[in-house]
Amino acid sequence: MGHWFSRNILEPGKLPMLLALTSFVLTFLVTRTVTRLIRAGKGPFRNVSSGGVHIHHVVPGVVLTVLGGFGAVASGRHGLGAAAFAVVFGVGAGLVLDEFALILHLDDVYWSEEGRQSVEVVVLTAALVLLPLSGFSPLGVDDVTEEERQDRVGFLLTLALNFLFILVTLVKGKLRMALVGVFVPFVAIVGAVRLARPGSWWWRHFYRRCHRARARGTVRAYRHDKRWTRVRRRVQDLIGGFQERVPGRGSDTP
């Protein structure tokens, strides 16, 4: 285990990324636990206010993210400074993305239906960071041999082709598949060749007169959402602690 950790984490300089991811996930989990206790009126935690203004935890999160980000850039990938700033950045990012829905809607939607977007963004971010940490490289670079790397034309064509699949997947309304496809090209290929989701850019411009494709796409999207929406909501409830809004209770921030 020690040899694997040294060869795959320490030598490539991935320790700061591992520390940032760990602190990011732990901060999110701790923050959610604290906000649940605040909402339930249990424990010593209370909302933070200053001059009658409720201070959301996205505020210190932004400060920590800026400090950690600039510090990490200045520190490189090795050394104690890089590790420390990585932890600071991870903590800040966890606080910020836990209130992603608030930033998106410019409203205190932490415990509302829109607030579920924060949990989804956090989970997706953690998954995307875990992929390069596990050895995946953007745009399928990890699948390219050393000979192909030296052949600049072939290398650039590989990057361009994978980027095209990602772009098509994105305009077909499949954001999650496009993001994962940045690191796993096969996912983007599947998303690119399948039917677009209703309402997407591809749907509006290429299916305008193709009634058969519109009908198939609508049915497929309905079946997909019916199958996975309930599962996704249960996971969000488990992670985010969503339930009926308690009247008169404060929102969230420790």
Side-chain angles (χ1 to χ4, degrees):
M1 180 64 181
H3 178 67
W4 177 91
F5 184 82
S6 176
R7 183 181 61 185
N8 294 278
I9 301 297
L10 294 181
E11 292 180 5
K14 293 182 178 180
L15 181 59
M17 182 182 292
L18 176 61
L19 292 174
L21 176 61
T22 303
S23 59
F24 170 76
V25 173
L26 289 178
T27 298
F28 170 74
L29 294 177
V30 170
T31 302
R32 280 283 161 173
T33 301
V34 171
T35 54
R36 290 188 197 186
L37 292 174
I38 293 176
R39 192 184 189 206
K42 300 178 180 179
F45 306 105
R46 295 294 182 269
N47 289 325
V48 177
S49 300
S50 177
V53 177
H54 176 65
I55 307 298
H56 291 270
H57 51 263
V58 67
V59 177
V62 169
V63 176
L64 292 176
T65 302
V66 172
L67 291 176
F70 280 108
V73 170
S75 302
R77 295 190 298 174
H78 300 275
L80 182 60
F85 281 117
V87 172
V88 172
F89 177 81
V91 172
L95 292 173
V96 170
L97 291 188
D98 184 54
E99 293 202 307
F100 171 82
L102 181 147
I103 301 173
L104 180 63
H105 296 279
L106 293 179
D107 192 13
D108 189 0
V109 294
Y110 195 83
W111 293 116
S112 68
E113 186 67 24
E114 292 84 359
R116 295 175 180 274
Q117 295 171 319
S118 296
V119 177
E120 187 169 354
V121 167
V122 167
V123 173
L124 186 59
T125 300
L128 291 177
V129 175
L130 187 61
L131 286 173
L133 191 62
S134 303
F136 290 88
S137 298
L139 299 177
V141 176
D142 53 308
D143 296 327
V144 179
T145 64
E146 188 62 32
E147 292 76 12
E148 290 174 327
R149 289 176 186 269
Q150 295 176 359
D151 182 4
R152 294 186 178 181
V153 175
F155 182 65
L156 291 176
L157 285 177
T158 300
L159 293 180
L161 184 61
N162 287 337
F163 178 78
L164 179 61
F165 285 133
I166 294 168
L167 183 61
V168 172
T169 302
L170 185 62
V171 298
K172 282 190 171 184
K174 305 172 183 179
L175 177 60
R176 301 182 191 88
M177 296 187 72
L179 291 175
V180 176
V182 172
F183 297 96
V184 188
F186 175 76
V187 175
I189 294 174
V190 173
V193 299
R194 292 175 67 85
L195 290 170
R197 286 191 62 86
S200 65
W201 183 91
W202 190 282
W203 175 279
R204 296 193 305 269
H205 289 79
F206 290 95
Y207 295 171
R208 184 177 304 174
R209 298 182 179 179
C210 189
H211 301 292
R212 182 177 180 182
R214 293 174 70 91
R216 290 175 57 202
T218 301
V219 172
R220 180 171 294 178
Y222 170 77
R223 291 176 177 174
H224 176 274
D225 293 342
K226 184 178 180 181
R227 181 184 303 116
W228 293 107
T229 297
R230 181 176 299 178
V231 176
R232 186 168 64 248
R233 288 175 63 88
R234 287 181 178 176
V235 173
Q236 292 170 348
D237 290 344
L238 178 64
I239 298 175
F242 291 99
Q243 50 186 292
E244 292 291 330
R245 180 181 290 272
V246 179
R249 287 288 169 87
S251 60
D252 48 41
T253 307

